[in-house]
Every structure is written in structure tokens, then in C-alpha cells.
Coordinates of all heavy atoms in Angstrom, one line a residue:
M507 N -8.6 3.1 6.9 CA -8.6 3.1 5.5 C -10.0 3.3 5.0 O -10.2 4.1 4.1 CB -7.9 1.9 4.9 CG -7.8 1.8 3.5 SD -6.7 3.1 2.9 CE -7.1 3.3 1.3
K508 N -10.9 2.6 5.5 CA -12.3 2.7 5.1 C -12.9 4.1 5.3 O -13.6 4.6 4.5 CB -13.2 1.6 5.7 CG -12.9 0.2 5.3 CD -13.7 -0.8 6.1 CE -13.3 -2.2 5.7 NZ -14.1 -3.2 6.4
T509 N -12.5 4.7 6.4 CA -12.9 6.1 6.7 C -12.4 7.0 5.6 O -13.1 7.9 5.1 CB -12.4 6.5 8.1 OG1 -12.9 5.6 9.0 CG2 -12.9 7.9 8.4
M510 N -11.1 6.9 5.2 CA -10.5 7.8 4.2 C -11.2 7.6 2.9 O -11.5 8.6 2.2 CB -9.0 7.5 4.1 CG -8.2 7.8 5.3 SD -8.2 9.6 5.7 CE -7.2 10.1 4.4
I511 N -11.6 6.4 2.5 CA -12.2 6.1 1.2 C -13.6 6.8 1.2 O -14.0 7.3 0.2 CB -12.3 4.6 1.0 CG1 -10.9 4.0 0.7 CG2 -13.2 4.3 -0.2 CD1 -10.8 2.5 0.6
K512 N -14.3 6.7 2.3 CA -15.6 7.3 2.4 C -15.5 8.8 2.3 O -16.3 9.5 1.7 CB -16.4 6.9 3.7 CG -16.9 5.5 3.7 CD -17.6 5.1 4.9 CE -18.0 3.7 4.9 NZ -18.7 3.3 6.2
K513 N -14.5 9.4 3.0 CA -14.3 10.8 3.1 C -13.9 11.4 1.7 O -14.3 12.5 1.3 CB -13.3 11.2 4.1 CG -13.2 12.6 4.4 CD -12.3 12.9 5.6 CE -12.2 14.4 5.9 NZ -11.4 14.7 7.1
Y514 N -13.1 10.6 1.0 CA -12.5 11.1 -0.3 C -12.8 10.0 -1.4 O -11.9 9.3 -1.8 CB -11.0 11.3 -0.2 CG -10.6 12.3 0.9 CD1 -10.1 11.8 2.1 CD2 -10.8 13.6 0.7 CE1 -9.8 12.7 3.1 CE2 -10.4 14.5 1.7 CZ -9.9 14.1 2.9 OH -9.6 14.9 3.9
P515 N -14.1 9.9 -1.8 CA -14.4 8.8 -2.7 C -13.8 8.8 -4.1 O -13.7 7.8 -4.8 CB -15.9 8.9 -2.8 CG -16.2 10.3 -2.5 CD -15.2 10.7 -1.5
N516 N -13.3 10.0 -4.5 CA -12.7 10.1 -5.9 C -11.2 10.0 -5.8 O -10.6 10.3 -6.8 CB -13.2 11.4 -6.5 CG -14.7 11.4 -6.8 OD1 -15.3 10.4 -7.1 ND2 -15.3 12.6 -6.5
T517 N -10.7 9.7 -4.7 CA -9.2 9.6 -4.5 C -8.7 8.2 -4.7 O -9.4 7.3 -4.2 CB -8.8 10.1 -3.1 OG1 -9.3 11.5 -3.0 CG2 -7.3 10.1 -2.9
K518 N -7.6 8.1 -5.4 CA -7.0 6.7 -5.6 C -5.9 6.6 -4.6 O -4.9 7.3 -4.6 CB -6.5 6.6 -7.0 CG -7.6 6.6 -8.0 CD -7.1 6.4 -9.4 CE -8.2 6.4 -10.4 NZ -7.8 6.4 -11.8
F519 N -6.0 5.7 -3.7 CA -5.0 5.4 -2.6 C -4.0 4.4 -3.0 O -4.4 3.4 -3.6 CB -5.7 5.0 -1.3 CG -6.6 6.1 -0.7 CD1 -7.9 6.2 -1.0 CD2 -6.0 7.0 0.2 CE1 -8.7 7.3 -0.4 CE2 -6.7 8.0 0.7 CZ -8.1 8.2 0.4
I520 N -2.8 4.6 -2.7 CA -1.7 3.7 -3.0 C -1.1 3.2 -1.7 O -0.8 3.9 -0.8 CB -0.6 4.4 -3.9 CG1 -1.2 4.8 -5.2 CG2 0.6 3.5 -4.1 CD1 -0.3 5.5 -6.1
A521 N -0.9 1.8 -1.6 CA -0.2 1.2 -0.5 C 1.3 1.5 -0.5 O 2.0 1.0 -1.4 CB -0.5 -0.3 -0.5
H522 N 1.8 2.3 0.4 CA 3.2 2.7 0.4 C 4.0 1.6 1.0 O 3.9 1.3 2.2 CB 3.3 4.0 1.2 CG 4.7 4.6 1.2 ND1 5.4 5.0 0.1 CD2 5.6 4.6 2.2 CE1 6.6 5.4 0.4 NE2 6.7 5.2 1.7
R523 N 4.8 1.0 0.2 CA 5.7 -0.1 0.6 C 4.9 -1.3 1.2 O 5.4 -2.0 2.1 CB 6.8 0.4 1.6 CG 7.7 1.4 1.0 CD 8.7 1.9 2.0 NE 9.5 2.9 1.4 CZ 10.3 3.7 2.1 NH1 10.4 3.6 3.4 NH2 11.1 4.6 1.5
G524 N 3.8 -1.5 0.6 CA 2.9 -2.7 1.1 C 2.0 -2.2 2.1 O 1.3 -1.3 2.0
L525 N 2.1 -2.8 3.3 CA 1.2 -2.5 4.4 C 2.0 -2.4 5.7 O 1.9 -3.3 6.6 CB 0.1 -3.5 4.5 CG -1.2 -3.1 5.3 CD1 -1.8 -1.8 4.7 CD2 -2.1 -4.2 5.4
P526 N 3.0 -1.4 5.8 CA 3.9 -1.4 6.9 C 3.3 -1.3 8.3 O 3.9 -1.5 9.3 CB 4.8 -0.3 6.6 CG 4.0 0.6 5.7 CD 3.1 -0.3 4.9
S527 N 2.0 -0.9 8.4 CA 1.4 -0.7 9.7 C 1.0 -2.1 10.3 O 0.8 -2.2 11.5 CB 0.1 0.1 9.5 OG -0.8 -0.6 8.7
K528 N 1.1 -3.1 9.4 CA 0.7 -4.5 9.9 C 1.9 -5.5 9.8 O 2.0 -6.4 10.6 CB -0.4 -5.1 9.0 CG -1.7 -4.2 9.1 CD -2.3 -4.3 10.4 CE -3.6 -3.4 10.4 NZ -4.2 -3.3 11.7
V529 N 2.8 -5.4 8.8 CA 3.9 -6.3 8.6 C 5.1 -5.5 8.1 O 5.0 -4.3 7.8 CB 3.6 -7.4 7.6 CG1 2.5 -8.3 8.1 CG2 3.2 -6.9 6.2
L530 N 6.3 -6.1 8.0 CA 7.5 -5.4 7.5 C 7.2 -4.8 6.1 O 6.6 -5.5 5.3 CB 8.6 -6.4 7.5 CG 9.2 -6.9 8.8 CD1 10.3 -7.9 8.6 CD2 9.7 -5.7 9.6
E531 N 7.8 -3.6 5.9 CA 7.6 -3.0 4.6 C 8.4 -3.6 3.6 O 9.5 -4.2 3.9 CB 7.9 -1.5 4.7 CG 9.2 -1.1 5.1 CD 9.4 0.4 5.3 OE1 8.5 1.1 5.7 OE2 10.6 0.8 5.0
N532 N 8.0 -3.5 2.3 CA 8.7 -4.0 1.2 C 8.8 -5.5 1.2 O 9.9 -6.1 0.8 CB 10.0 -3.4 0.9 CG 9.9 -1.9 0.4 OD1 9.0 -1.6 -0.4 ND2 10.8 -1.1 0.9
T533 N 7.9 -6.2 1.8 CA 7.9 -7.7 1.8 C 6.7 -8.2 1.0 O 5.7 -7.6 0.8 CB 7.8 -8.2 3.2 OG1 6.6 -7.8 3.8 CG2 9.0 -7.7 4.1
L534 N 6.8 -9.5 0.5 CA 5.8 -10.1 -0.2 C 4.5 -10.2 0.6 O 3.4 -10.0 0.2 CB 6.2 -11.5 -0.7 CG 5.2 -12.2 -1.6 CD1 4.9 -11.4 -2.8 CD2 5.8 -13.5 -2.0
E535 N 4.7 -10.5 1.9 CA 3.5 -10.6 2.8 C 2.8 -9.2 2.9 O 1.6 -9.2 2.9 CB 4.0 -11.0 4.2 CG 2.9 -11.2 5.2 CD 3.4 -11.6 6.6 OE1 4.6 -11.8 6.8 OE2 2.5 -11.8 7.5
G536 N 3.6 -8.2 3.0 CA 3.0 -6.8 3.0 C 2.2 -6.5 1.8 O 1.1 -5.9 1.8
F537 N 2.7 -6.9 0.6 CA 2.1 -6.6 -0.6 C 0.8 -7.4 -0.8 O -0.2 -7.0 -1.3 CB 3.0 -6.9 -1.8 CG 4.2 -6.0 -1.8 CD1 5.4 -6.5 -2.2 CD2 4.2 -4.7 -1.5 CE1 6.6 -5.7 -2.2 CE2 5.3 -3.9 -1.5 CZ 6.5 -4.4 -1.8
K538 N 0.8 -8.7 -0.3 CA -0.3 -9.5 -0.4 C -1.5 -9.0 0.5 O -2.6 -9.0 0.1 CB 0.0 -11.0 0.0 CG 0.8 -11.7 -1.0 CD 1.1 -13.1 -0.5 CE 1.9 -13.9 -1.6 NZ 2.2 -15.3 -1.1
K539 N -1.1 -8.5 1.7 CA -2.1 -8.0 2.6 C -2.7 -6.7 2.0 O -3.9 -6.4 2.0 CB -1.5 -7.7 4.0 CG -1.3 -8.9 4.8 CD -0.9 -8.6 6.2 CE -0.7 -9.8 7.0 NZ -1.9 -10.6 7.4
A540 N -1.9 -5.8 1.4 CA -2.3 -4.6 0.8 C -3.2 -4.9 -0.4 O -4.2 -4.2 -0.7 CB -1.1 -3.8 0.3
A541 N -2.9 -6.0 -1.2 CA -3.7 -6.3 -2.3 C -5.2 -6.7 -2.0 O -6.1 -6.7 -2.8 CB -3.1 -7.5 -3.1
K542 N -5.4 -7.1 -0.7 CA -6.7 -7.5 -0.3 C -7.6 -6.3 0.1 O -8.8 -6.4 0.3 CB -6.6 -8.5 0.9 CG -6.0 -9.8 0.6 CD -5.9 -10.7 1.8 CE -5.3 -12.0 1.4 NZ -5.1 -12.9 2.5
L543 N -7.0 -5.1 0.2 CA -7.7 -3.9 0.5 C -7.9 -3.1 -0.7 O -7.3 -3.3 -1.8 CB -6.8 -3.1 1.5 CG -6.6 -3.8 2.9 CD1 -5.6 -3.0 3.7 CD2 -7.9 -4.1 3.6
P544 N -8.8 -2.1 -0.7 CA -9.2 -1.4 -1.9 C -8.1 -0.3 -2.3 O -8.5 0.9 -2.5 CB -10.5 -0.8 -1.5 CG -10.4 -0.6 0.0 CD -9.6 -1.8 0.5
F545 N -6.9 -0.7 -2.4 CA -5.9 0.3 -2.9 C -5.8 0.3 -4.4 O -6.1 -0.7 -5.1 CB -4.5 -0.1 -2.4 CG -4.3 0.2 -0.9 CD1 -4.2 -0.9 0.0 CD2 -4.2 1.4 -0.4 CE1 -4.0 -0.7 1.3 CE2 -4.0 1.7 0.9 CZ -3.9 0.6 1.8
F546 N -5.5 1.4 -5.0 CA -5.4 1.6 -6.4 C -4.1 0.9 -6.9 O -4.0 0.4 -8.0 CB -5.4 3.1 -6.8 CG -5.1 3.3 -8.2 CD1 -6.1 3.1 -9.2 CD2 -3.9 3.8 -8.7 CE1 -5.9 3.3 -10.5 CE2 -3.7 4.1 -10.0 CZ -4.7 3.8 -10.9
G547 N -3.0 1.0 -6.1 CA -1.8 0.4 -6.5 C -0.9 0.2 -5.3 O -1.2 0.5 -4.2
I548 N 0.3 -0.3 -5.5 CA 1.3 -0.5 -4.5 C 2.6 0.1 -4.9 O 3.0 0.0 -6.1 CB 1.5 -2.0 -4.2 CG1 0.3 -2.7 -3.7 CG2 2.7 -2.3 -3.3 CD1 0.3 -4.2 -3.6
E549 N 3.3 0.8 -4.0 CA 4.5 1.5 -4.2 C 5.6 0.8 -3.5 O 5.4 0.3 -2.4 CB 4.5 3.0 -3.8 CG 5.7 3.8 -4.0 CD 6.7 3.6 -2.8 OE1 6.3 3.3 -1.7 OE2 7.9 3.8 -3.1
T550 N 6.8 0.6 -4.1 CA 7.9 0.0 -3.5 C 9.2 0.6 -4.0 O 9.2 1.4 -4.9 CB 7.9 -1.6 -3.8 OG1 8.9 -2.1 -3.0 CG2 8.2 -1.9 -5.2
D551 N 10.3 0.3 -3.3 CA 11.6 0.8 -3.7 C 12.3 -0.3 -4.4 O 12.3 -1.4 -3.9 CB 12.4 1.3 -2.5 CG 11.7 2.5 -1.8 OD1 11.1 3.3 -2.5 OD2 11.8 2.5 -0.6
I552 N 13.0 0.0 -5.5 CA 13.8 -1.0 -6.2 C 15.2 -0.4 -6.3 O 15.4 0.7 -6.7 CB 13.2 -1.3 -7.6 CG1 11.8 -1.9 -7.4 CG2 14.2 -2.2 -8.3 CD1 11.1 -2.1 -8.7
H553 N 16.2 -1.3 -6.0 CA 17.6 -0.9 -6.1 C 18.3 -1.9 -7.1 O 18.2 -3.1 -6.9 CB 18.3 -0.9 -4.8 CG 17.7 0.0 -3.8 ND1 18.1 1.3 -3.7 CD2 16.7 -0.1 -2.9 CE1 17.4 1.9 -2.7 NE2 16.6 1.1 -2.2
L554 N 18.9 -1.4 -8.1 CA 19.6 -2.2 -9.0 C 21.1 -2.3 -8.6 O 21.7 -1.3 -8.3 CB 19.5 -1.7 -10.4 CG 18.1 -1.6 -11.0 CD1 18.2 -0.9 -12.4 CD2 17.5 -2.9 -11.1
N555 N 21.6 -3.5 -8.6 CA 23.0 -3.7 -8.4 C 23.8 -4.0 -9.7 O 23.3 -4.8 -10.5 CB 23.2 -4.9 -7.4 CG 22.6 -4.7 -6.0 OD1 22.7 -3.5 -5.6 ND2 22.1 -5.7 -5.4
P556 N 24.9 -3.4 -9.9 CA 25.7 -3.6 -11.1 C 26.2 -5.0 -11.2 O 26.4 -5.7 -10.3 CB 26.8 -2.5 -11.1 CG 26.8 -2.0 -9.7 CD 25.6 -2.4 -9.0

């Protein structure tokens, strides 16, 4: 990630479904780990049940 930020300094990176390379995707733990890194935002999937 740090290499990408240096290579593209004007790009805003988003953590896709948290940090699935380290923990299960779409979990609170994944979002917390992603929040500690220099991401612009976090993307997740939301499903509404009737």
C-alpha cells in the first residue's frame, strides 16, 4: 500500500470490504484494521431484508 501511495500521491485509495488480505472481508475487525491505514474511505456491501 505504501508503494502505491508514493507512486500515485494524488490518488484516493479505498479499502474494498475492509482489509480482506489480512482478515475476513466485511467484518468489523477488517474495517478497524483498514482505518489504521491511509485509506480515503471504506467500501462494503449492504443487503436489506424486508
Side-chain angles (χ1 to χ4, degrees):
M507 182 68 199
K508 291 178 184 179
T509 303
M510 294 295 287
I511 291 171
K512 287 181 183 179
K513 189 173 181 180
Y514 305 103
N516 296 321
T517 301
K518 295 179 179 177
F519 292 93
I520 296 176
H522 181 69
R523 297 181 182 164
L525 198 61
S527 62
K528 302 292 181 189
V529 296
L530 291 175
E531 61 183 32
N532 287 324
T533 61
L534 185 56
E535 183 181 0
F537 298 141
K538 286 180 179 180
K539 287 189 182 285
K542 293 179 182 178
L543 298 174
F545 287 111
F546 176 74
I548 295 173
E549 179 273 337
T550 188
D551 298 325
I552 297 175
H553 299 272
L554 298 176
N555 294 325

